């Protein structure tokens, strides 16, 4: 089971804070540092000092880290043109020495689009399908050849399809709860399927849909990595657990019901239930980015038991 650190910087974090967490992620032996791609805070937090851009952040971290994988859950398809996104991600992959992964989703948070003047189209999912075809197609085009795409939403003519990533293939993540179109997109384009904030039972059903879609598309179901994203809150005792839950504005019972919460032993057991239904990677949503002791506890008493 791979454990990856997943952050939500729109809730309030500077680049320096993210750099500190990314370096701790690397030093403590976690597999990767991922971040959300949002420009507006959610809920009652003030979001100060303001948002940081996902791919600018990852470019900086690419030069400041050496081992961990770097990526997004999920880059919003509404934020970037697919040709521009392919250039950005390929460049950051070069900057990292080939450690980047791209999670790409349709985009959903209408308020942040209104706040920053970003168009919020109705046909987001159909656009996402074209975006995935373009991004992966540009990367796969041989150097010296050109890429053309003529779709409903995007039109590319004689693109030189440059630059190329450092990796021969950047892993692409597709995720979500949709019962039909999401599994189909994952089967066609994804190296990894991620389901966010879902129960063991819902995860098992969705993994089954993706497996079936992969086989229908002529792929082996086990070609894809299946993963979960879950909020994490671990305490050595009840008092520490309650303090950490309060710090992120959540209740302990709710966290235990909907995420990975409790003592290290409880969290290890809970992760084991996800592993039993085929999850091979957990993105641990860390909401208090100043609590580095939390990361140390997870590394020392949770991750160590899963290795």
């Amino acid at each position: 089971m791979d454990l990856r650190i997943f952050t939500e910087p729109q809730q309030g974090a500077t680049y320096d804070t993210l750099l500190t967490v990314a370096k701790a992620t690397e030093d403590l032996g976690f597999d990767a540092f991922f971040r959300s791609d949002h420009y507006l805070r959610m809920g009652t937090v003030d979001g100060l000092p303001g948002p940081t851009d996902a791919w600018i952040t990852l470019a900086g971290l690419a030069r400041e880290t050496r081992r961990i994988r770097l990526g997004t859950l999920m880059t919003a398809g509404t934020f970037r043109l697919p040709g521009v996104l392919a250039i950005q991600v390929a460049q950051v992959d070069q900057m990292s020495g080939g450690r980047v992964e791209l999670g790409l989703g349709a985009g959903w948070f209408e308020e942040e689009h209104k706040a920053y003047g970003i168009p919020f189209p109705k046909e987001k999912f159909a656009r996402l399908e074209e975006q995935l075809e373009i991004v992966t197609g540009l990367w796969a085009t041989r150097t010296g050849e050109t890429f053309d795409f003529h779709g409903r939403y995007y039109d590319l003519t004689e693109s030189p399809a440059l630059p190329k990533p450092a990796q021969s293939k950047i892993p692409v993540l597709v995720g979500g709860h949709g019962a039909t179109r999401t599994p189909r997109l994952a089967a066609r384009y994804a190296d990894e399927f991620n389901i966010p904030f879902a129960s063991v039972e819902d995860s098992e059903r969705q993994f089954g849909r993706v497996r079936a879609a992969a086989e229908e598309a002529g792929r082996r179901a086990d070609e894809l990595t299946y993963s979960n994203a879950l909020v994490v809150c671990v305490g050595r005792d009840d008092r520490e657990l309650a303090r950490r839950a309060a710090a992120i504005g959540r209740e302990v019972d709710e966290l235990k019901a909907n995420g990975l919460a409790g003592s290290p032993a409880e969290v290890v057991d809970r992760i084991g239930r996800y592993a039993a239904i085929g999850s091979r990677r957990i993105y641990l949503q860390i909401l208090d980015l100043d609590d580095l002791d939390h990361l140390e506890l997870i590394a020392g008493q949770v991750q160590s038991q899963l290795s």
Side-chain angles (χ1 to χ4, degrees), residues 32-59:
F33 175 95
F34 271 58
R35 59 157 293 164
S36 60
D37 188 13
H38 287 293
Y39 293 133
L40 190 67
R41 60 104 178 105
M42 302 172 194
T44 58
V45 300
D46 57 27
L48 294 175
T52 50
D53 180 83
W55 285 101
I56 291 177
T57 296
L58 294 174

Side-chain angles (χ1 to χ4, degrees), residues 182-247:
T182 296
R184 178 176 57 80
L185 276 190
R188 183 172 180 186
Y189 296 106
D191 301 283
E192 178 177 337
F193 177 77
N194 177 270
I195 183 165
F197 314 117
S199 67
V200 173
E201 295 76 17
D202 288 345
S203 298
E204 185 174 24
R205 279 191 290 272
Q206 188 68 335
F207 290 165
R209 295 182 185 116
V210 175
R211 289 178 179 278
E215 291 173 354
E216 289 173 9
R219 298 180 65 184
R220 298 193 318 274
D222 60 5
E223 285 183 33
L224 283 82
T225 296
Y226 299 86
S227 65
N228 290 84
L230 295 159
V231 63
V232 65
C233 185
V234 187
R236 296 174 181 87
D237 53 38
D238 290 345
R239 182 176 178 180
E240 186 173 74
L241 179 63
R243 174 176 63 77
R244 288 204 164 104

Side-chain angles (χ1 to χ4, degrees), residues 233-238 241 256 261-269 302:
C233 185
V234 187
R236 296 174 181 87
D237 53 38
D238 290 345
L241 179 63
K256 287 187 174 183
S263 68
E266 287 178 298
V267 171
V268 168
D269 180 69
V302 176

Side-chain angles (χ1 to χ4, degrees), residues 93-150:
D93 193 52
Q94 292 175 359
M95 294 168 70
S96 72
R99 293 183 286 122
V100 160
E101 304 185 11
L102 171 64
L104 184 58
W108 62 271
F109 190 19
E110 186 173 6
E111 286 80 1
E112 69 186 339
H113 293 74
K114 291 179 178 178
Y116 286 97
I118 303 167
F120 190 69
K122 292 182 179 179
E123 320 85 354
K124 292 183 291 299
F125 202 91
R127 288 175 182 269
L128 173 62
E129 185 163 11
E130 290 194 8
Q131 290 162 348
L132 284 163
E133 185 169 351
I134 292 166
V135 170
T136 58
L138 286 167
W139 291 337
T141 299
R142 293 181 180 180
T143 301
E145 298 180 359
T146 59
F147 176 82
D148 288 82
F149 179 87
H150 306 292

